Amino acid sequence: MVWFETILVVLTLLTGLIWLVDRLFFAKVRKVRAGLLDEREPILVDYSRAFFPVLAVVLCLRSFVAEPFRIPSSSMMPSLLIGDFILVNKYAYGLRLPINNKKFLAIGEPKRGDVVVFRPPHHPDQDWIKRVVGLPGDTVAYRANVVYVNGIPMRYSPLGKYAGKGKGADMTGADLLQEQLPGHPHPVLEREESAYFIQQGEGEWTVPPGQYFVMGDNRDNSEDSRFWEVHFLPEENLRGKAFLIWLNWDWSAGGVDFSRIGSSIP
């Protein structure tokens, strides 16, 4: 989405500059010459004057209030499905400039269990979404389908077998569990037959200052901190906190799923 931000910023600055220059210089000349002739405003200035306020409002809303994202993968199932359109709170972790994502006003920091949108260190041109499991200073471990935080194993409550639909139908039959992450219980998916993948994702990591350990809720189908070369998400790569599903659109599941509209993200 960096390309969209870049285009939006460029168009906003360009239309604003054209409008400003015209008002400071050329509009006065036209007014002086308007005694005998009805000299009309140039079409470029007319369009700039019309579009600049709209572009400026959209840019401010997307950059500092809330930004829409679409879920493209199954890594956050069952909390988020392929085809979910979500809103991301852009000020929860501080206000950041568009394009370079540089923070200029600190407001808050992620809490354990938050679902965050970010730019992964190894794909800085992409937006990913995962759940914060480890905070700076935490020691996180993953062994035999169990998450440990600072040596304490998380408790899991079985919720039955998962019934997927649409593009997530391949997860049908997976174990649906409630993970009791401190202060933020949430559902996760696991497959017993994915032993090789689980073994590859096992390990123990101590989170450095200013960084986070993130995981997908679909534990056997998520490229997360367990598998990254650097393992950790730098604070400066955060984009915001996901908080609401405003639409779900999956043609393979029959189109719009109205039951998900307006749902909060666990």
Side-chain angles (χ1 to χ4, degrees):
M1 296 295 286
V2 177
W3 62 268
F4 183 84
E5 281 184 310
T6 303
I7 293 174
L8 184 58
V9 169
V10 170
L11 287 177
T12 303
L13 293 177
L14 183 61
T15 55
L17 182 61
I18 292 172
W19 187 21
L20 178 61
V21 170
D22 181 74
R23 291 203 62 178
L24 291 178
F25 303 103
F26 301 107
K28 295 179 180 180
V29 175
R30 287 197 305 272
K31 187 174 182 181
V32 170
R33 294 189 307 194
L36 299 176
L37 299 174
D38 183 15
E39 188 167 350
R40 302 187 63 179
E41 190 176 66
I43 189 170
L44 182 60
V45 175
D46 185 38
Y47 277 115
S48 296
R49 179 169 53 82
F51 283 109
F52 171 70
V54 177
L55 292 170
V57 169
V58 171
L59 178 62
C60 289
L61 288 176
R62 286 178 56 93
S63 300
F64 310 127
V65 181
E67 184 175 1
F69 288 89
R70 183 180 183 275
I71 303 301
S73 74
S74 62
S75 70
M76 284 299 293
M77 291 174 62
S79 302
L80 292 170
L81 307 181
I82 298 173
D84 278 344
F85 289 79
I86 64 171
L87 284 179
V88 173
N89 184 327
K90 296 302 293 290
Y91 58 84
Y93 307 137
L95 297 182
R96 300 172 186 270
L97 295 173
I99 303 178
N100 67 5
N101 205 46
K102 184 175 179 60
K103 183 190 290 188
F104 64 89
L105 180 63
I107 296 177
E109 300 295 338
K111 298 180 177 59
R112 188 178 290 110
D114 284 359
V115 176
V116 298
V117 171
F118 58 91
R119 290 173 179 165
H122 51 302
H123 292 293
D125 58 333
Q126 300 178 9
D127 292 315
W128 287 21
I129 184 167
K130 305 292 180 188
R131 189 180 300 275
V132 174
V133 174
L135 302 176
D138 284 346
T139 296
V140 179
Y142 187 71
R143 303 188 186 95
N145 285 341
V146 176
V147 172
Y148 295 76
V149 179
N150 297 323
I152 302 174
M154 300 298 98
R155 293 184 295 107
Y156 295 84
S157 305
L159 301 176
K161 295 293 184 179
Y162 182 71
K165 58 182 180 179
K167 293 181 179 178
D170 60 331
M171 291 306 300
T172 296
D175 292 325
L176 179 60
L177 307 168
Q178 184 84 347
E179 183 176 80
Q180 303 299 326
L181 196 66
H184 208 121
H186 61 280
V188 298
L189 291 180
E190 293 176 351
R191 281 192 184 276
E192 293 182 1
E193 65 268 26
S194 301
Y196 176 76
F197 187 93
I198 294 170
Q199 183 180 6
Q200 292 296 101
E202 290 186 341
E204 182 173 297
W205 309 269
T206 299
V207 187
Q211 304 200 48
Y212 298 89
F213 193 91
V214 296
M215 296 178 67
D217 291 346
N218 191 351
R219 292 293 159 78
D220 302 329
N221 191 19
S222 174
E223 184 185 346
D224 51 43
S225 286
R226 294 171 294 169
F227 304 97
W228 300 350
E229 183 178 353
V230 295
H231 292 301
F232 307 109
L233 171 66
E235 189 276 338
E236 58 264 27
N237 288 38
L238 289 168
R239 301 275 283 150
K241 177 183 178 181
F243 69 96
L244 182 73
I245 300 169
W246 61 273
L247 180 67
N248 174 277
W249 187 284
D250 184 354
W251 276 115
S252 60
V256 178
D257 185 349
F258 292 96
S259 66
R260 295 187 64 77
I261 296 177
S263 301
S264 59
I265 299 173

